């Protein structure tokens, strides 16, 4: 009988702690940059596109600038926000029409560094293939797109399409 009392006596077992939900770590934000620069005898303009992607959300900031001598003056900007599903972006802005893009990772050819007057910078290299995030209108092949019809993004400082009187090409942005 003592045995039974010992087995039945004592403190009841501690109930298990309720499981706490574990918060998911915050999604990483990836930022990519693409710029279009147009240089003519009368001056230069540039538009910078900064794409930020966090999970299934995307933001595209478009900034327009005008060259004033050796400085750039901001003329305006637009912010597009929306969703990302696989390689498709659906973005909207309060002051612009909606923007739909299909983006895919692919190899592109970059020109060596050059000045805005199209002369090569000292030590410039020839064309080189690099990985980029190329975005076009849905249904349009990146192979069929003109330079004005696509965004060619890379992590900062990004890529730039130079359109100058003597020609142009895709190059890495100088920091």
């Amino acid at each position: 009988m003592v045995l039974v009392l010992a087995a039945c006596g004592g403190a009841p077992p501690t109930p298990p702690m309720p499981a706490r939900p574990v918060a998911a770590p915050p999604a990483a934000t990836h930022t990519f940059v693409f710029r279009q620069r147009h240089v003519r005898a009368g001056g230069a303009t540039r538009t910078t596109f900064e794409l930020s992607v966090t999970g299934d959300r995307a933001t595209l900031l478009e900034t327009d600038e005008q060259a004033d001598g050796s400085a750039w003056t901001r003329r305006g900007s637009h912010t597009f926000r929306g969703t990302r599903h696989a390689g498709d972006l659906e973005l909207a802005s309060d002051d612009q029409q909606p923007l739909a893009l299909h983006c895919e990772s692919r190899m592109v050819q970059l020109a060596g560094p050059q000045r805005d007057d199209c002369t090569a910078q000292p030590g410039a290299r020839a064309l080189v293939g690099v990985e980029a995030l190329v975005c076009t209108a849905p249904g349009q092949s990146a192979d069929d797109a003109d330079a004005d019809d696509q965004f060619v993004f890379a992590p900062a400082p990004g890529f730039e399409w130079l359109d100058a009187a003597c020609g142009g090409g895709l190059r890495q942005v100088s920091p």
Side-chain angles (χ1 to χ4, degrees), residues 148-172:
D148 291 349
D149 296 337
Q150 63 184 351
F151 299 96
V152 184
F153 289 105
F159 294 146
E160 171 179 75
W161 176 260
L162 173 64
D163 176 23
C166 58
L170 189 62
R171 66 184 186 175
Q172 188 160 17

Side-chain angles (χ1 to χ4, degrees), residues 1-17:
M1 182 105 152
V2 173
L3 184 57
V4 172
L5 287 178
C8 293
T14 305
M17 297 273 298

Side-chain angles (χ1 to χ4, degrees), residues 42-80:
T45 61
R46 71 180 179 191
T47 303
T48 302
F49 302 91
E50 186 174 304
L51 175 64
S52 298
V53 178
T54 306
D56 65 351
R57 305 296 304 165
T59 301
L60 180 69
L61 174 62
E62 175 184 347
T63 305
D64 297 312
E65 298 171 291
Q66 175 80 38
D68 294 326
S70 62
W72 290 94
T73 300
R74 184 176 165 160
R75 296 185 318 175
S77 67
H78 307 285
T79 302
F80 297 83

Side-chain angles (χ1 to χ4, degrees), residues 30-162:
H30 301 281
T31 302
F32 305 93
V33 178
F34 175 62
R35 185 165 70 195
Q36 295 174 331
R37 187 188 306 213
H38 302 278
V39 179
R40 298 290 183 258
T45 61
R46 71 180 179 191
T47 303
T48 302
F49 302 91
E50 186 174 304
L51 175 64
S52 298
V53 178
T54 306
D56 65 351
R57 305 296 304 165
T59 301
L60 180 69
L61 174 62
E62 175 184 347
T63 305
D64 297 312
E65 298 171 291
Q66 175 80 38
D68 294 326
S70 62
W72 290 94
T73 300
R74 184 176 165 160
R75 296 185 318 175
S77 67
H78 307 285
T79 302
F80 297 83
R81 291 183 176 85
T83 60
R84 176 183 73 95
H85 179 70
D88 295 323
L89 302 176
E90 296 290 334
L91 305 169
S93 172
D94 292 339
D95 57 354
Q96 296 288 307
Q97 66 185 26
L99 181 61
L101 296 171
H102 175 74
C103 303
E104 59 187 40
S105 182
R106 56 184 295 126
M107 294 295 289
V108 297
Q109 294 291 316
L110 289 185
Q114 63 188 41
R115 296 184 179 98
D116 289 348
D117 65 1
C118 298
T119 59
Q121 291 182 352
R125 297 185 317 238
L127 288 175
V128 61
V130 296
E131 188 84 13
L133 180 64
V134 180
C135 299
T136 59
Q140 180 179 21
S141 167
D143 294 329
D144 296 334
D146 293 332
D148 291 349
D149 296 337
Q150 63 184 351
F151 299 96
V152 184
F153 289 105
F159 294 146
E160 171 179 75
W161 176 260
L162 173 64

